Amino acid sequence: MFLGTHTPRLDDKGRLILPAKFRDELAGGVVITKGQERCLYVFPMPEFQRIAGQLREQPVTHKAARAYSRVFFASAHDEVPDKQGRVTIPGHLRQYAGLERELVVIGASSRVEIWDRQSWEDYLSASEDDFADIEEGVLPGGL
């Protein structure tokens, strides 16, 4: 399970050093792809394969599943982190997420998310007030 918030930097070659506490689980390979709210999702390979299997089970006639699958898979980039725990984020994904030098990397349970630092701060500001109201809909009965 991925937890926590980290603030690494993107180097001049578009590489990100993964947080140390995430490296063991991601060492076997990752898939980086477009996420919601203009962030990037980083999946360990087994989790990506599980999601891919779920998408494959959708009938080809399901329009929303087709549309989601096209973007999800077309933007995906697979890679094995190097010995220093670095991964290269391709230019098209950096552009999609608006990634500059300052990043925020968050643990989001079964995946990691990569955000431009300012975008993350803006997202938190906009969603902080709704956080308490959302709980009931997400966790019926509350915590």
Side-chain angles (χ1 to χ4, degrees), residues 35-88:
Q36 268 59 50
E37 290 88 33
R38 295 252 177 213
C39 74
L40 300 179
Y41 289 165
V42 181
F43 295 101
M45 188 59 74
E47 179 66 8
F48 185 82
Q49 291 170 339
R50 184 189 68 76
I51 294 166
Q54 287 181 321
L55 289 169
R56 273 194 305 273
E57 290 174 7
Q58 298 299 314
V60 73
T61 55
H62 191 287
K63 186 175 181 177
R66 275 195 325 269
Y68 186 83
S69 291
R70 284 179 183 134
V71 174
F72 189 73
F73 292 115
S75 66
H77 168 77
D78 62 323
E79 184 170 350
V80 175
D82 69 13
K83 292 178 183 177
Q84 288 79 35
R86 295 179 300 196
V87 291
T88 300

Side-chain angles (χ1 to χ4, degrees), residues 101-133:
R101 193 160 179 79
E102 303 295 325
L103 305 179
V104 173
V105 174
I106 65 166
S109 184
S110 63
R111 69 178 182 275
V112 173
E113 293 183 1
I114 302 171
W115 292 76
D116 174 72
R117 185 174 294 178
Q118 187 60 55
S119 296
W120 174 248
E121 290 171 5
D122 293 346
Y123 175 79
L124 279 182
S125 292
S127 62
E128 199 73 34
D129 292 340
D130 296 330
F131 181 68
D133 297 335

